[in-house]
Amino acid sequence: MVSKKYIKLKLTGKTKDEILEELVEVLNAGGALNDKDEFLKVVKQREATSSTGLEEGIAIPHGKTTAVKIPAVAFGRSEGVDFDSLDGEKSKLFFMIAAPEDATDSHIETLSKLTSKLLDDELRERLEKASTEDEVIAILNEEKSEDKSSKENVIKKDGFVIAVTACPVGIAHTYMAADSLVNKGKELGVEIKVETNGSVGVKNELTPEDIKRATGVIVAADKTIDMDRFA
């Protein structure tokens, strides 16, 4: 979904809207869109719900609509733009996700894999320094092996935590939040199960047995989910 034609290493936009328009143009020029104006409208509607400016200089604007011809991800890099990010810092690395209305499970899984990679500090630093489009693609395609030695040193703690993640569109934040929680669980030695409420439906659904056994619940969502089951 990320190819050289969807990469722009030097974005010129100075505002949030200018960056969005620039990335939409990149996708349109690459042949990913049916209707660039409609796609831009959907992306801006998503931003109005809650900003896709995350922490650590990353922003992941996205939209799921019939205005998208083929699933694609545009990557752009800037010297820093105010993107209403969660940590108040300027955003430098932009990934604009274009998902068709009928996006398949495999499309969503690929996108969730991409967004989870962005939790890696080292990967983000390398993306900031990459000098060519090919280098960007190579970095994103790398598979990182788990550090078993650090995993073995974690002391297993008692208790079991359950969690639910969900966002309005369900193709980026839902899975980043889930991966972040799972990674923190591994780091702390805490057993955790995370249910995702994404655009392809509920995955890894929490069972009544999970809920009964849990010592704590984390809800990371900005859309309505079934809370009665946790009563």
Side-chain angles (χ1 to χ4, degrees), residues 73-185:
V73 180
F75 170 71
R77 212 166 51 185
S78 161
E79 292 182 2
V81 172
D82 181 359
F83 214 79
D84 303 317
S85 62
L86 293 175
D87 57 4
E89 298 296 322
K90 290 187 175 182
S91 300
K92 296 180 179 180
L93 300 176
F94 299 89
F95 290 83
M96 178 172 276
I97 297 172
E101 189 65 52
D102 59 350
T104 64
D105 282 18
S106 61
H107 291 151
I108 301 302
E109 283 167 15
T110 302
L111 293 170
S112 66
K113 192 173 181 182
L114 168 68
T115 52
S116 66
K117 280 175 180 275
L118 302 179
L119 298 170
D120 188 313
D121 294 341
E122 182 191 348
L123 182 139
R124 291 195 306 271
E125 287 175 16
R126 290 171 61 202
L127 284 175
E128 285 186 24
K129 296 174 183 175
S131 55
T132 66
E133 290 86 352
D134 286 323
E135 194 177 346
V136 168
I137 291 172
I139 291 169
L140 292 174
N141 278 332
E142 285 177 6
E143 293 295 338
K144 193 169 185 180
S145 57
E146 280 196 61
D147 184 352
K148 292 182 180 177
S149 60
S150 63
K151 198 174 176 183
E152 288 166 1
N153 291 332
V154 173
I155 298 171
K156 191 75 175 172
K157 294 179 174 65
D158 290 332
F160 173 54
V161 174
I162 55 175
V164 181
T165 65
C167 66
V169 181
I171 60 174
H173 295 66
T174 298
Y175 303 101
M176 284 189 85
D179 285 328
S180 187
L181 287 166
V182 169
N183 290 341
K184 184 56 70 172

Side-chain angles (χ1 to χ4, degrees), residues 156-164 181-182 185 188-195 204 206 210-211 213-219 230:
K156 191 75 175 172
K157 294 179 174 65
D158 290 332
F160 173 54
V161 174
I162 55 175
V164 181
L181 287 166
V182 169
L188 298 175
V190 175
E191 184 187 357
I192 183 168
K193 178 177 178 180
V194 185
E195 173 187 293
N204 206 31
L206 298 173
D210 291 330
I211 295 169
R213 185 164 73 89
T215 50
V217 183
I218 295 172
V219 177
F230 303 129

Side-chain angles (χ1 to χ4, degrees), residues 50-67:
S50 61
S51 176
T52 58
L54 305 178
E55 299 173 338
E56 310 294 348
I58 291 176
I60 312 180
H62 53 273
K64 185 182 178 191
T65 165
T66 53

